[in-house]
Amino acid sequence: KPAIELGCCRSRGFMRVSKLGTQHFVHARRPESCTSAPESAEHLLLKSIILRAVREAGWSGDVEVCGPNGAWRADVMGTKLNLQVAFEVQLSTIPFAELAARQQAYADDQVRGCWFYGYGALNPPPPPKTDIPAFPLSFSSENPFAALKRGIPPDQVRIGSRQMSLPAAVSALLNRQFRRCAKQ
């Protein structure tokens, strides 16, 4: 078996399957120097849905892509010709200002960033008029975390006034089926 080097700390890793059936890489032995937090099964499931949608939209896709000098690390990176779109899944609480700083790090490297976030993950929530593409995930039937823990992905993503499935949203965003509205 060839050795796998993890992008977070350059240590050895291997592929395994989560309790939800999602394939992902983990440390063979996590070094104390690694600052990367372990990802939840729910986060891994959403990343796999996005990665599949990126590839089905005709783009190259990969997970945990690092920027120059470690300035950023994308959950999922879509690449087509000279375009790069970083997709981020945010389920844990993060201040919107931190999200904005991370978005700027992408912009500094000519990478477009796109965020999908769970209920309560952005605290405070995005301002009504923001140019950061951040879209809420929603579930129709039950508590979102209970649904994810049972392997049920979000039913919908809200983009503007439209609701759509996560794969459809990824495809629409990559294929530029949305235009940014002028700020008022």
Side-chain angles (χ1 to χ4, degrees), residues 4 6 11-17 24-30 39 44:
I4 296 171
L6 298 177
S11 65
R12 289 188 53 154
F14 63 94
M15 169 98 64
R16 76 171 177 200
V17 179
H24 62 284
F25 294 100
V26 296
H27 293 88
R29 284 197 178 155
R30 185 182 183 85
E39 295 179 319
L44 292 168

Side-chain angles (χ1 to χ4, degrees), residues 13-129:
F14 63 94
M15 169 98 64
R16 76 171 177 200
V17 179
S18 77
K19 62 183 176 185
L20 296 177
T22 305
Q23 294 182 344
H24 62 284
F25 294 100
V26 296
H27 293 88
R29 284 197 178 155
R30 185 182 183 85
E32 288 184 27
S33 60
C34 183
T35 59
S36 175
E39 295 179 319
S40 69
E42 297 81 15
H43 191 259
L44 292 168
L45 173 64
L46 294 172
K47 283 176 33 178
S48 70
I49 291 169
I50 294 168
L51 178 62
R52 184 174 301 127
V54 165
R55 291 176 176 168
E56 287 176 0
W59 289 56
S60 297
D62 207 351
V63 294
E64 298 301 317
V65 175
C66 292
N69 302 316
W72 47 263
R73 183 172 62 234
D75 282 339
V76 177
M77 179 67 74
T79 305
K80 190 171 193 178
L81 302 174
N82 62 343
L83 297 174
Q84 288 186 298
V85 179
F87 290 96
E88 292 286 350
V89 175
Q90 191 64 46
L91 298 177
S92 59
T93 303
I94 181 175
F96 185 75
E98 184 178 330
L99 182 143
R102 290 171 60 185
Q103 182 75 2
Q104 186 59 52
Y106 285 128
D108 291 346
D109 288 330
Q110 285 75 52
V111 174
R112 295 180 180 151
C114 180
W115 299 78
F116 297 111
Y117 63 93
Y119 177 77
L122 300 183
N123 188 12
K129 304 284 183 202

